[in-house]
Amino acid sequence: MSVKTRLSVMMFLQYFIWGSWFVTMGTYLGQTLRFTDGQVGLAYGATAIAALVSPFFIGIVADRFFATEKLLAILHLTGALVMWLVSTQTTFGTFYPVLILYALCYMPTLSLTNSISFHHVKDPARDFPLIRVLGTIGWIVAGIVIGKVLHAEALATPMRVAAGASVVMGLFALALPHTPPRAAGAPFSVRDALGLDALQLMGRADFATFVLGSFLLCIPLQFYYAFANPFLNEIRVADPAFIQTFGQMSEIGFMLLLPFALKRYGIKVIMLVGMLAWALRYFAFGAGDAGSGMWLIYAGILLPGICYDFFFVAGQIYTDETAGPKIRAAAQGFINFVTNGVGYFIGAWVSGGVVGRYLNADCAPGAVDCIRHDWASVWRVPALGALGVFVLFLLLFRPSSHSAAPRT
């Protein structure tokens, strides 16, 4: 099996695990365990807490003592046990801390899989999207299994599927190409762990604007991750988890298109299109319904290809090329801390509060014959937030003309 094939399978398993439990957790917590909207938001912030902590773990352990592929195996095998334990918890007081523990196992693996990929490809702008697209396919397959095959959106089953997949990933990681620790024997420093060497890039107006825009955009983004599946279930859309995979299906095409789009239009246009797509998605959700407005729901669901690929994947490539080989790892770690950590944690807290504010008081607890939230008002908040970030980026982002253009 070639190196690129192994890296692609790695990405498939990595995102199959996440897609198995993350999409439907809000429905399970709200409908089955009767957690409040605020508690659901906090649960989705568990991965953000882990993203804040994981740079220290990566800096102390991954970069100094273990080959990356071996640490990836350890984390996934440990995560399998913890996720199974998560699936057995029924009160927020026990569920939340165990979920955080699982997130502490899983979140570092996102950086590790990216690190392995970038280490073993010659041209990241050309090769990485083709590898990363298998992660999108993994997420799609997870949604089909959970939503269409198992019909398990309101059950603990998705977490147990994720636990089983984590075992497979842990064993497969041992077959990945050897990636030695990049800082073996070097002393640990907080500066290295948080990627603070990348702060020198903040002196560049284009990179500083990119970091600010990425951070701000993560706040409205968390509304989708935490509450899209509960929203679709409440308005009684059939097979919501399966339907949500249509978005990832569109992502495949845009992921493959990304290298060519970057070369033709440049990083600014590509990232602005991605930002605008997030705002349009939320406006579509706010105006749609399960009847005559279902086309708007489908339109919103089909936008993730542009939303994610044209902003975040393009942003990873932009960061890689802006930083250069010397501080590449520091820059990727810094961006991960700002977005997956701080940005998503604030977004989890904000989204839970906003959704709870628009609770329909006429619906009795546990009622299944009425829509429990004013979703049109809920979706208006992140739509306007994403639109505001778009305007900020449009006015302030001035990248160099060669940024993120694939090498030939």
Side-chain angles (χ1 to χ4, degrees), residues 103-341:
L104 290 171
C105 293
Y106 182 83
M107 292 307 290
T109 66
L110 295 174
S111 295
L112 294 176
T113 51
N114 284 344
S115 177
I116 292 173
S117 298
F118 283 122
H119 185 84
H120 292 283
V121 298
K122 293 181 179 179
D123 186 345
R126 181 194 65 200
D127 298 332
F128 182 68
L130 301 178
I131 293 169
R132 175 59 181 79
V133 74
L134 266 292
T136 302
I137 294 173
W139 192 288
I140 291 170
V141 173
I144 293 172
V145 170
I146 299 303
K148 198 68 174 176
V149 177
L150 299 178
H151 299 285
E153 294 180 43
L155 304 175
T157 303
M159 297 174 183
R160 295 171 184 174
V161 171
S166 295
V167 173
V168 176
M169 175 64 169
L171 296 175
F172 181 79
L174 298 174
L176 291 171
H178 178 59
T179 310
R182 67 181 181 87
F188 170 75
S189 73
V190 172
R191 184 179 186 86
D192 289 338
L194 296 180
L196 296 183
D197 283 337
L199 286 178
Q200 61 187 271
L201 296 174
M202 295 295 284
R204 291 181 46 167
D206 61 328
F207 189 78
T209 303
F210 164 69
V211 172
L212 177 63
S214 299
F215 162 71
L216 292 175
L217 190 64
C218 284
I219 297 173
L221 261 56
Q222 193 70 299
F223 280 76
Y224 179 80
Y225 297 136
F227 292 103
N229 192 259
F231 158 66
L232 295 173
N233 274 282
E234 273 194 32
I235 66 172
R236 292 183 282 281
V237 170
D239 300 320
F242 170 68
I243 289 175
Q244 284 180 267
T245 66
F246 296 170
Q248 278 68 46
M249 292 177 190
S250 76
E251 204 174 297
I252 295 174
F254 286 106
M255 186 77 77
L256 298 174
L257 177 65
L258 183 57
F260 307 101
L262 281 170
K263 186 173 182 179
R264 180 173 179 82
Y265 299 107
I267 190 67
K268 180 173 181 176
V269 171
I270 293 303
M271 296 180 78
L272 281 171
V273 169
M275 285 181 165
L276 184 60
W278 277 105
L280 294 175
R281 153 184 269 190
Y282 289 139
F283 281 125
F285 279 176
D289 57 55
S292 60
M294 190 63 198
W295 71 273
L296 287 167
I297 301 296
Y298 280 119
I301 288 173
L302 287 169
L303 282 171
I306 303 176
C307 294
Y308 186 82
D309 297 344
F310 276 34
F311 190 84
F312 285 102
V313 177
Q316 289 171 351
I317 296 171
Y318 166 75
T319 300
D320 182 76
E321 297 196 350
T322 301
K326 187 175 181 180
I327 58 171
R328 174 179 293 154
Q332 293 289 353
F334 178 64
I335 290 296
N336 184 64
F337 181 84
V338 170
T339 56
N340 289 337

Side-chain angles (χ1 to χ4, degrees), residues 25-39:
M25 181 176 69
T27 297
Y28 169 63
L29 298 185
Q31 288 190 8
T32 304
L33 299 186
R34 299 285 188 263
F35 289 0
T36 67
D37 295 318
Q39 289 172 334

